[in-house]
Amino acid sequence: MEYTVQAPAALREPLQVPDKLLMGPGPSNAHPRVLEAMARPILGHLHPETLKIMDDIKEGVRYLFQTTNAATFCLSASGHGGMEATLCNLLEDGDVVLIGHTGHWGDRAADMAARYGADVHMVRAASGSSLTLAELRKAIETYRPSVLFLTQGESSTGVLQGLEGVGALCRANDCLLIVDTVASLGGVPFFMDRWEVDAVYTGSQKVLGAPPGITPISFNHRAVERYKRRQTKVKVYYWDMFLVGDYWGCFGRPRIYHHTISSTLLYGLREAIALACEESIPSLIARHQDCARRLYEGLTAMGFELYAQERDRLPTVTTISVPKGVDWLKVAQYAMKTYLVEISGGLGPTAGQVFRIGLMGQNATSERVDRVLQVFRESIKAVKPDYAFRKNASKM
């Protein structure tokens, strides 16, 4: 029988992967140790060496989340998988969920929750601001949700959502608290147990600097008990907490085959977490916050306006209001084409309104802050030669 579809000519060419400086909201550049680990031989998904690496990762994730939860593991998915899995496991048809909206990820969580049959309500923060505890209390008392969803680090707006006191508020109202820390973990403090967070997930490709595609997640005892009281099966087999948890050896039962995990992603994540542990959480956070201050000072010295309110700024992703008359897309394209430096535009409610600069993992250094400031200035100047920078701003 004749094969009529021919092998593509493009695949006869060698693979081309440029070396770019990723100063957008993620992914970030990986440490050489992470890249080297990923080049090691592939192992089977139930080989004892693979299971040992998974166990190492669980312990590291507990350290990063500051939790002792047994149900701590990773999903074979991007950070979106964490959002899906927390909502899918903890919601049933008709359950009321309250979404704290500080940007795009609130909209995305609301969409997902509705698809799982939940009765979705939203409490919205002012543009560029976080929600206060009083605003959350009022919304909880109004809607009586079974689940509250918050994004600690909203990468579309550059807003940092405060969490202290929210867990206690939720417990007083028989409500579970889910927190998205994809863009924030490692750049700001997070204490899962102390702050009484019931479910959390993060991104491997942000501050950790591992490849995307494997998502750390944790459920506490309250979330596990809510799962056990479900009247219906979890709607998606792939996200089922108990099935994935048994593959990861979380519940003291024999390990099962759930799916074929990528051993190479495990290698990269293990080394990324090991690097974070060696640096320590306090040092990791201090480095990101120091770099954020340096970036803020450089941007304001040139006359740019930061989008997020000063008290609510997320150090890992900075949003800069697009000046009048400046084409943000041309600026981002010039930076990439000329310097191989990624500077991003807005997302969701900030699309067309802001630039986004990420300082995460290996890119949170004073040298890379200075580099992105220089590239940003030169790109603005190239796209709009008559742009009036603040006169007292030193050239980066």
Side-chain angles (χ1 to χ4, degrees), residues 216-267:
I217 191 167
S218 185
F219 298 90
N220 72 2
H221 66 283
R222 294 179 77 236
V224 171
E225 287 302 314
R226 177 70 62 87
Y227 173 100
K228 290 178 179 178
R229 294 198 305 270
R230 291 182 64 95
Q231 301 300 305
T232 58
K233 278 188 174 183
V234 172
K235 290 189 175 182
V236 180
Y237 179 95
Y238 195 67
W239 305 133
D240 191 299
M241 177 204 311
F242 270 29
L243 296 177
V244 185
D246 277 339
Y247 178 31
W248 279 78
C250 293
F251 302 114
R253 299 186 286 261
R255 299 227 194 198
I256 65 167
Y257 167 70
H258 177 261
H259 67 281
T260 302
I261 202 164
S262 167
S263 59
T264 51
L265 287 180
L266 289 175
Y267 308 157

Side-chain angles (χ1 to χ4, degrees), residues 304 326 331 334 374-387 389 395:
F304 294 106
V326 173
V331 172
Y334 185 88
Q374 177 193 26
V375 168
F376 189 52
R377 181 189 178 97
E378 293 302 319
S379 300
I380 294 276
K381 190 191 306 182
V383 169
K384 189 172 175 56
D386 62 345
Y387 182 77
F389 291 95
K395 292 186 178 181

Side-chain angles (χ1 to χ4, degrees), residues 322 326-335 343-345 352 354-355 383:
V322 176
V326 173
D327 187 323
W328 76 265
L329 181 57
K330 288 182 178 178
V331 172
Q333 290 172 336
Y334 185 88
I343 296 171
S344 297
V354 302
F355 294 101
V383 169

Side-chain angles (χ1 to χ4, degrees), residues 273-327:
I273 292 174
L275 287 163
C277 291
E278 290 166 15
E279 184 171 359
S280 83
I281 293 174
S283 295
L284 188 64
I285 292 172
R287 173 163 63 85
H288 283 80
Q289 295 187 345
D290 287 346
C291 286
R293 281 190 290 270
R294 187 181 185 94
L295 179 64
Y296 301 158
E297 289 168 3
L299 290 168
T300 54
M302 287 190 283
F304 294 106
E305 179 184 346
L306 302 185
Y307 179 83
Q309 296 296 313
E310 184 174 2
R311 68 181 183 279
D312 294 329
R313 286 177 192 156
L314 176 67
T316 51
V317 180
T318 296
T319 44
I320 306 112
S321 296
V322 176
K324 185 177 180 180
V326 173
D327 187 323

Side-chain angles (χ1 to χ4, degrees), residues 45-63:
H45 51 282
L46 285 170
H47 288 185
E49 298 86 354
T50 301
L51 301 182
K52 171 63 167 62
I53 293 168
M54 292 165 73
D55 288 342
D56 293 347
I57 289 171
K58 283 191 297 185
E59 290 304 310
V61 171
R62 289 187 183 109
Y63 169 70

Side-chain angles (χ1 to χ4, degrees), residues 28 44 88 96 98 115 133 141-142 151 160 189 204 212 215 288 299 304 321 341 366 373 388 394:
S28 62
C88 185
V96 177
L98 177 63
R115 291 167 187 254
L133 194 60
E141 291 172 350
T142 299
T151 304
L160 173 65
S204 56
T215 293
H288 283 80
L299 290 168
F304 294 106
S321 296
V341 173
S366 57
L373 284 169
S394 59

